[in-house]
């Protein structure tokens, strides 16, 4: 069922991008598919960032409640629930918006891990013609079906930049970044550097494009939410 609902449609989309948009460049097709997915997930991404901003603004009130009612856990819980209700938010909504994206991300990874082979081409729909020849190169320079250190380095740098800007935006909003959260944010680049050398460059391209596109999306959504608050 997972294959029919997610993996197969995304694989067909990749082949369509490969044939008709990027004209036989698999690397560009991976980037095009990633951008299309980011646009499709934009409403979820928007709600996640909005929830994150609300929770950050509520931190002073949360700390006040925790301090004033630390001896009475029942009243503390009631006060916290009332606070969340008054701001029309849920402390777990940010995690929900993250987890709801995971099935799509897992499907994309399965496509790139499997690669495009004669066996995988059997999953094409009847209206999607199989490529007569298949070229796994990106800009004629990098074979994205194999691991590539240049892609790993770029993906790690993009992941680091995304984490850095997220922390910087939090501080700009007047919300101090907790040391634990700060180190967790920089765990992503470390994991990127540890995992990607073993995987195909196609996954690295997807990883890089996702990080870069997320930076621009987050900046745009943050400005949009700030402008709405001023109205």
């Amino acid at each position: 069922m997972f294959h029919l609902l997610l993996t197969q449609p995304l694989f067909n989309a990749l082949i369509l991008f490969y044939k008709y948009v990027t004209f036989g460049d698999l690397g560009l097709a991976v980037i095009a598919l990633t951008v299309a997915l980011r646009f499709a997930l934009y409403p979820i991404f928007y709600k996640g960032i909005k929830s994150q901003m609300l929770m950050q603004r509520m931190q002073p009130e949360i700390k006040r409640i925790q301090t004033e009612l630390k001896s009475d856990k029942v009243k503390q819980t009631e006060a916290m629930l009332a606070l969340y209700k008054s701001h029309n938010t849920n402390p777990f909504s940010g995690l929900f918006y993250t987890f709801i994206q995971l099935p799509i991300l897992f499907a994309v990874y399965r496509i790139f891990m499997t690669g495009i082979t004669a066996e995988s081409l059997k999953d094409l729909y009847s209206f999607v013609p199989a490529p007569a020849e298949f070229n796994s190169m990106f800009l004629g320079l990098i074979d994205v079906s194999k691991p590539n250190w240049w892609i790993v380095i770029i993906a790690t740098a993009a992941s680091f930049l995304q984490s850095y800007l997220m922390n910087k935006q939090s501080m700009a909003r007047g919300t101090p970044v907790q040391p634990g959260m700060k180190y967790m944010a920089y765990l992503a680049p470390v994991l990127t550097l540890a995992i990607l050398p073993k995987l195909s460059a196609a996954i690295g391209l997807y990883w890089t494009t996702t990080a870069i596109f997320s930076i621009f999306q987050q900046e745009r959504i943050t400005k949009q939410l700030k402008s709405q608050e001023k109205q």
Side-chain angles (χ1 to χ4, degrees):
M1 183 63 71
F2 180 85
H3 177 79
L4 291 175
L5 293 178
L6 282 175
T7 308
Q8 190 175 11
L10 289 175
F11 177 70
N12 278 264
L14 177 66
I15 296 300
L16 287 173
F17 280 125
Y18 175 80
K19 283 183 65 68
Y20 300 114
V21 178
T22 65
F23 303 105
D25 188 310
L26 182 59
L28 291 177
V30 170
I31 293 173
L33 177 63
T34 308
V35 171
L37 282 172
R38 295 309 300 180
F39 275 115
L41 293 172
Y42 182 84
I44 296 173
F45 198 66
Y46 177 89
K47 290 180 180 179
I49 292 179
K50 183 177 181 180
S51 174
Q52 184 184 62
M53 289 178 65
L54 279 172
M55 290 300 297
Q56 287 176 339
R57 288 197 185 93
M58 289 164 58
Q59 285 306 307
E61 296 178 74
I62 291 173
K63 288 182 179 180
R64 178 183 59 78
I65 292 172
Q66 291 173 336
T67 301
E68 293 179 357
L69 301 175
K70 62 181 178 180
S71 59
D72 192 332
K73 296 299 181 182
V74 175
K75 288 186 177 180
Q76 184 184 103
T77 301
E78 291 175 349
M80 294 285 278
L81 291 174
L83 177 64
Y84 294 138
K85 186 177 180 180
S86 66
H87 285 80
N88 193 28
T89 189
N90 186 305
F92 302 107
S93 57
L95 290 175
F96 171 76
Y97 295 128
T98 299
F99 284 128
I100 203 172
Q101 301 176 58
L102 292 182
I104 296 175
L105 301 181
F106 182 65
V108 172
Y109 280 122
R110 284 187 62 178
I111 291 171
F112 296 151
M113 286 291 289
T114 303
I116 300 177
T117 62
E119 185 66 25
S120 64
L121 289 175
K122 294 178 182 178
D123 280 333
L124 292 178
Y125 299 137
S126 58
F127 58 86
V128 179
E133 297 181 0
F134 184 71
N135 174 27
S136 61
M137 300 300 289
F138 172 46
L139 300 177
L141 300 172
I142 297 173
D143 186 348
V144 297
S145 66
K146 301 175 182 178
N148 184 276
W149 267 103
W150 284 110
I151 297 297
V152 172
I153 292 171
I154 294 171
T156 302
S159 184
F160 176 83
L161 180 61
Q162 182 184 13
S163 298
Y164 170 78
L165 291 176
M166 285 178 66
N167 282 335
K168 187 176 180 181
Q169 285 180 352
S170 294
M171 295 180 69
R173 288 193 289 265
T175 306
V177 180
Q178 299 296 324
M181 293 299 294
K182 183 177 180 180
Y183 295 137
M184 284 296 292
Y186 290 116
L187 181 62
V190 175
L191 291 176
T192 302
L193 187 58
I195 294 172
L196 286 187
K198 305 172 186 177
L199 305 177
S200 70
I203 296 178
L205 270 180
Y206 170 77
W207 204 303
T208 303
T209 308
T210 298
I212 293 174
F213 206 77
S214 295
I215 290 170
F216 287 107
Q217 277 192 322
Q218 182 153 349
E219 184 68 23
R220 183 178 184 277
I221 291 171
T222 301
K223 288 182 178 179
Q224 186 178 350
L225 290 171
K226 286 182 177 179
S227 65
Q228 289 177 0
E229 290 174 355
K230 293 177 182 178
Q231 292 176 357

